[in-house]
Amino acid sequence: MKLIKKIFFIIIFLFLNVNAFAFTDPNNVDDFDISDETISTTVKFSRDGKTMFILGVNTDTIRQYSLSTAFDLSSPPVAVKTFDIGSIQDAPQDIEFNSDGTVLFLIGREVGNRGIDQWDLSAPYDIGGLTDTDRKRTSLSGDLRGFKFSNDGKKLFTITQTSSTVGTVTEYTLSVAYDLDTLSQTNTLTSTFSGGGRRQGISLSSDGYKLFISNSATAVENPLAERNYIREFSLSSPFNISNATNNGDFQPSYTASFRITGLTFNNDGSKMFHTDFTNNNVYEYTLSCGFGVKTCTDPTNDKDDVASIESQSEASKKLIQHTTYPVLNRMEWLRRNSGRTNLTNQNIKFQISNEILSALSESLIPIYFSNENSEELNLKNKNWSFWSEGTINIGKIGDTLSASSKSINTTAITIGADKRDENNIMRGFAIRMGADDVNIGNLGSAIDMSAMSLTFYESKPKGSNKFVDSLVGISLLESDLVNNSGTISTKGKRNGAQLFGSVNFRDTYSKDNLNFTPKFKISAGATHYTSYSETGADGLNLNFKGQNIANLIATTGTSLDNTYELSNGTFIPYFDIEYYADISPSSSQKFSYASDGSVYSLKYNNNSVHNFRSGVGFDFATEYGLNLMSKYTRDQSQNGMQNDSFIVALDYRISQRSSYAMSIQDTSAKLSHNSELNGLYFDLDSKYDFFSEKPQYGIYLKVSNRP
């Protein structure tokens, strides 16, 4: 146990900040010839990628195709249905679906007939049986060329042809998802295209951090090769174009008749598709990273990604606190109830009527079974005391400029046992099993972490009122991580291990039954998270490197308690307050795209140096060995994190008194055992006749709450 007192973990891990890019341009891998349409304006897919739709302005027709493999044109799509919209719109430009494919939207630019038409579908992504009379119309102004909904249907973006060199993206907010009656304009983005032409397509990444516009021009309008390209914008916040940054233009391989129109991606952004205004083709590209037309999306700008990384770093610190607090609470309980030694007495007495056996027993019975001088000997013969503590923690951190909001719910149970030695030093161990449920943002991102901890502790008196409490322990962690971004959902599993220690100094000043206990504590730990890789989103999957986190926390505070003796036990209310300085060093998490190896580093800075913790609770100690402790605590951190805890703890101490009586008369032997265990009385009697022709024996058991 001497090692415990010497443990001070001060570990600082420094990482290089590397942001190397291995970006490559989109690669054209396939195309599909639309034989029935000479002028196509857009291409769209169902959510599962098994159904494709082509809109043509020459025939004013929506065509539905079936794909054998999702988002794959290598096997020619099969035409299955058509919907003639000639009577509705003479210049159709783009189509969209709601999130479950049960509503079809069509935008058109026909003069005097500009706006969005919508139809309810009888089956998801099935345009069969639609008619002109089924539609609902919402009028919009401008030379409309394309539109796109956000993933939740609460935002609508349109692209209009302002002039031959200018395109305007308009952002609308919908108070009800996909309900165009609730439409209101929010922002606009104007972009200049020096080569001229037409803005013929618009799309966004699934996470809302990128916007794409396609531009096309005829050889007459612009004979230069760069007339057809796709422009990429970065958005500082998802689905908000107010602060868009132009990342540059991607130009596919030039042909004389090439004109880019519609633009779309598969769910994870690993593939891009566009139609062509003149050569009847749909083109398929592979991307080096998710939605990487000109750049890879910087995941350090994703607030949910940042919040997930921060949550794992914060979890390492909170786990140390959540693991050490029950043990420290236990030692505080022992301090408050130090005078209740009668609960641990164990007395065993033998009474033997036969003089010879009685004399023999006196010489054989160990001294610690003796009832003589029990006050002194009880210090040498303390029983194990068993205890448990159940904890519920509810915490939250609000949304910041860099990270999404986080709500943290923790449930745990701690089971322990301890024993006092001949020097009045209490030693014990505790096992904690806990689960943390962290919800991130509002799209369903989450971390589910489970931990198992083993702690060894010691409480050593330094005089009558001074104590030194120390502990050391280890934790094993398992985490399931989910990162949702609209239609994209990635999953990962991560393990970890933690070593921690704490030293607590406290001194108690007493007057009558009132106790005032100032204290000082230092806690430290080192956590290692293993590397892991996300799955579920191909081009957006990230590989996370292993991470090391060091924790160092200094705490000072005081507690106040009073003792009230009741008829059936002792009641001790108490109050404590602590200030703790979290002086943990910063830590870096490195990660990269699985597809292209671009490496990023996110540095987690400790923004909660100053923290306060207060608690109020009570002990109720009975004479029967079963004791109750309950406590409510509030943590308030500098960074706005608030954590509420409710604790219920039970202590069970074995209190046992036993006596044995044995007699031998003639040929009969009798043995009696009387035992009192925590207020219950057991009487066991037996008799046996050695020499009877018919052996006689019997046994009698009585259990009562009275002697």
Side-chain angles (χ1 to χ4, degrees):
M1 285 296 182
K2 293 182 179 180
L3 178 63
I4 297 177
K5 303 170 196 167
K6 300 179 181 179
I7 293 179
F8 288 90
F9 302 99
I10 307 175
I11 306 173
I12 302 175
F13 299 94
L14 301 176
F15 296 96
L16 297 175
N17 188 359
V18 180
N19 286 282
F21 292 88
F23 179 82
T24 58
D25 284 339
N27 179 38
N28 182 206
V29 294
D30 234 312
D31 57 76
F32 169 62
D33 184 7
I34 311 165
S35 57
D36 297 322
E37 181 60 68
T38 57
I39 305 177
S40 54
T41 56
T42 195
V43 54
K44 291 291 166 57
F45 293 87
S46 60
R47 183 182 287 264
D48 65 3
K50 301 296 286 291
T51 305
M52 182 177 71
F53 300 88
I54 301 294
L55 175 63
V57 72
N58 185 46
T59 61
D60 296 334
T61 300
I62 303 175
R63 304 181 188 277
Q64 180 177 329
Y65 297 83
S66 176
L67 281 71
S68 57
T69 303
F71 300 105
D72 188 351
L73 302 182
S74 60
S75 296
V78 178
V80 292
K81 294 178 182 180
T82 60
F83 177 31
D84 187 350
I85 56 172
S87 61
I88 303 170
Q89 179 61 246
D90 187 49
Q93 297 296 301
D94 202 0
I95 60 172
E96 271 275 81
F97 295 89
N98 66 343
S99 58
D100 60 6
T102 57
V103 181
L104 167 68
F105 301 89
L106 168 74
I107 197 168
R109 58 178 292 269
E110 181 183 358
V111 177
N113 196 26
R114 293 172 173 173
I116 300 177
D117 297 292
Q118 67 183 78
W119 292 262
D120 292 330
L121 306 183
S122 58
Y125 302 104
D126 187 349
I127 63 174
L130 296 181
T131 66
D132 182 12
T133 57
D134 298 331
R135 69 187 175 103
K136 177 183 178 181
R137 161 156 281 265
T138 300
S139 298
L140 291 177
S141 60
D143 188 358
L144 302 166
R145 300 295 179 126
F147 69 131
K148 179 70 176 179
F149 286 101
S150 61
N151 297 320
D152 61 1
K154 292 294 189 69
K155 290 285 189 70
L156 172 69
F157 302 85
T158 64
I159 178 70
T160 56
Q161 180 83 359
T162 307
S163 70
S164 62
T165 58
V166 177
T168 301
V169 178
T170 304
E171 175 188 325
Y172 299 89
T173 298
L174 294 79
S175 56
V176 179
Y178 300 101
D179 187 350
L180 299 179
D181 291 336
T182 64
L183 200 72
S184 63
Q185 184 174 323
T186 307
N187 294 305
T188 59
L189 170 67
T190 300
S191 189
T192 300
F193 298 81
S194 58
R198 297 174 175 85
R199 268 47 72 196
Q200 291 288 158
I202 183 173
S203 192
L204 290 103
S205 60
S206 60
D207 60 6
Y209 282 99
K210 281 190 175 183
L211 168 71
F212 306 91
I213 300 173
S214 63
N215 185 74
S216 81
T218 66
V220 175
E221 294 169 322
N222 183 4
L224 300 177
E226 60 267 19
R227 71 185 185 219
N228 289 287
Y229 49 86
I230 299 169
R231 179 163 294 175
E232 177 187 292
F233 296 85
S234 289
L235 309 182
S236 57
S237 57
F239 302 105
N240 186 337
I241 64 173
S242 60
N243 292 305
T245 302
N246 188 344
N247 294 335
D249 302 329
F250 163 69
Q251 182 194 0
S253 300
Y254 174 76
T255 61
S257 61
F258 201 66
R259 289 185 63 188
I260 299 174
T261 49
L263 184 67
T264 194
F265 299 83
N266 66 342
N267 296 330
D268 62 16
S270 60
K271 288 187 175 183
M272 178 180 70
F273 303 84
H274 69 76
T275 48
D276 186 271
F277 200 75
T278 57
N279 65 7
N280 315 330
N281 279 359
V282 180
Y283 293 88
E284 175 186 337
Y285 298 81
T286 58
L287 307 182
S288 62
C289 56
F291 300 97
V293 176
K294 285 300 294 182
T295 64
C296 290
T297 300
D298 188 349
T300 63
N301 293 329
D302 189 319
K303 296 178 67 175
D304 282 6
D305 280 339
V306 174
S308 178
I309 293 171
E310 287 185 354
S311 296
Q312 294 177 68
S313 298
E314 291 163 355
S316 68
K317 293 190 291 186
K318 290 300 179 184
L319 180 59
I320 293 176
Q321 292 179 306
H322 293 163
T323 304
T324 59
Y325 280 150
V327 175
L328 294 173
N329 289 338
R330 169 63 178 176
M331 289 189 281
E332 286 288 330
W333 187 93
L334 292 171
R335 190 270 308 169
R336 290 192 297 267
N337 295 271
S338 60
R340 300 179 57 80
T341 57
N342 62 304
L343 292 179
T344 64
N345 292 345
Q346 175 175 287
N347 298 315
I348 300 179
K349 180 172 64 176
F350 283 85
Q351 296 177 340
I352 300 177
S353 60
N354 184 283
E355 294 183 1
I356 297 176
L357 294 177
S358 180
L360 182 63
S361 69
E362 292 293 333
S363 63
L364 295 178
I365 296 172
I367 189 171
Y368 54 77
F369 281 158
S370 171
N371 197 35
E372 302 297 324
N373 199 15
S374 61
E375 183 75 18
E376 178 182 347
L377 293 174
N378 279 334
L379 292 176
K380 300 181 180 182
N381 184 41
K382 297 297 183 180
N383 288 330
W384 283 97
S385 182
F386 302 94
W387 60 277
S388 65
E389 180 178 303
T391 307
I392 299 175
N393 294 279
I394 301 174
K396 61 181 180 181
I397 302 177
D399 190 81
T400 67
L401 292 176
S402 61
S404 300
S405 61
K406 299 179 282 288
S407 63
I408 307 156
N409 298 316
T410 303
T411 56
I413 184 166
T414 304
I415 301 172
D418 45 44
K419 185 177 184 180
R420 190 177 297 170
D421 68 6
E422 65 274 9
N423 297 315
N424 211 24
I425 299 174
M426 182 66 71
R427 294 188 177 99
F429 66 91
I431 298 174
R432 178 189 183 271
M433 294 167 285
D436 290 83
D437 182 14
V438 183
N439 295 314
I440 300 169
N442 56 12
L443 295 179
S445 298
I447 301 174
D448 293 325
M449 187 180 76
S450 60
M452 178 173 287
S453 306
L454 175 63
T455 306
F456 297 93
Y457 59 91
E458 174 188 275
S459 183
K460 185 175 183 179
K462 296 289 187 179
S464 59
N465 295 317
K466 296 181 176 64
F467 292 86
V468 178
D469 302 330
S470 52
L471 61 89
V472 63
I474 187 171
S475 298
L476 300 178
L477 300 81
E478 291 185 356
S479 300
D480 291 320
L481 303 101
V482 177
N483 192 351
N484 285 331
S485 182
T487 58
I488 303 301
S489 179
T490 63
K491 296 180 179 180
K493 289 184 176 291
R494 193 176 207 183
N495 298 324
Q498 184 179 79
L499 180 67
F500 58 89
S502 177
V503 179
N504 185 31
F505 306 90
R506 50 192 170 95
D507 191 2
T508 299
Y509 301 90
S510 301
K511 184 176 181 179
D512 298 328
N513 291 329
L514 185 65
N515 299 302
F516 174 72
T517 306
K519 47 193 172 182
F520 176 76
K521 178 180 64 178
I522 294 181
S523 301
T527 305
H528 174 71
Y529 285 119
T530 61
S531 60
Y532 76 99
S533 298
E534 293 180 332
T535 60
D538 292 338
L540 292 179
N541 289 333
L542 296 173
N543 292 333
F544 289 82
K545 311 297 182 182
Q547 184 182 10
N548 296 310
I549 303 170
N551 305 124
L552 183 62
I553 299 174
T555 304
T556 185
T558 186
S559 63
L560 189 69
D561 65 82
N562 202 359
T563 302
Y564 300 90
E565 295 294 340
L566 307 178
S567 59
N568 58 347
T570 303
F571 180 72
I572 306 177
Y574 61 91
F575 168 79
D576 53 37
I577 186 168
E578 294 178 346
Y579 163 79
Y580 60 95
D582 187 350
I583 49 180
S584 306
S586 58
S587 175
S588 293
Q589 173 66 73
K590 292 182 179 180
F591 48 100
S592 63
Y593 280 108
S595 56
D596 73 340
S598 300
V599 179
Y600 303 84
S601 180
L602 185 65
K603 189 174 183 179
Y604 173 70
N605 294 308
N606 180 25
N607 296 316
S608 295
V609 177
H610 306 290
N611 309 270
F612 287 92
R613 186 172 189 264
S614 60
V616 59
F618 68 87
D619 301 337
F620 182 67
T622 72
E623 296 292 336
Y624 308 108
L626 185 64
N627 309 295
L628 172 68
M629 187 270 280
S630 184
K631 185 179 183 180
Y632 167 79
T633 63
R634 162 67 63 89
D635 274 281
Q636 189 67 52
S637 302
Q638 180 186 6
N639 66 349
M641 181 175 181
Q642 179 179 301
N643 190 77
D644 296 292
S645 304
F646 179 71
I647 299 166
V648 176
L650 295 175
D651 170 82
Y652 181 73
R653 293 190 169 192
I654 298 175
S655 175
Q656 180 175 315
R657 294 176 174 86
S658 300
S659 63
Y660 296 86
M662 185 176 186
S663 65
I664 298 178
Q665 296 180 356
D666 300 325
T667 61
S668 298
K670 294 181 179 180
L671 177 65
S672 298
H673 174 217
N674 305 107
S675 178
E676 182 260 326
L677 179 65
N678 292 79
L680 289 177
Y681 296 87
F682 301 84
D683 296 319
L684 180 65
D685 295 305
S686 64
K687 178 181 179 181
Y688 188 80
D689 194 323
F690 293 103
F691 300 106
S692 173
E693 291 183 4
K694 295 181 178 180
Q696 298 179 1
Y697 56 89
I699 188 168
Y700 169 78
L701 175 64
K702 177 183 177 183
V703 182
S704 175
N705 61 351
R706 295 182 179 180

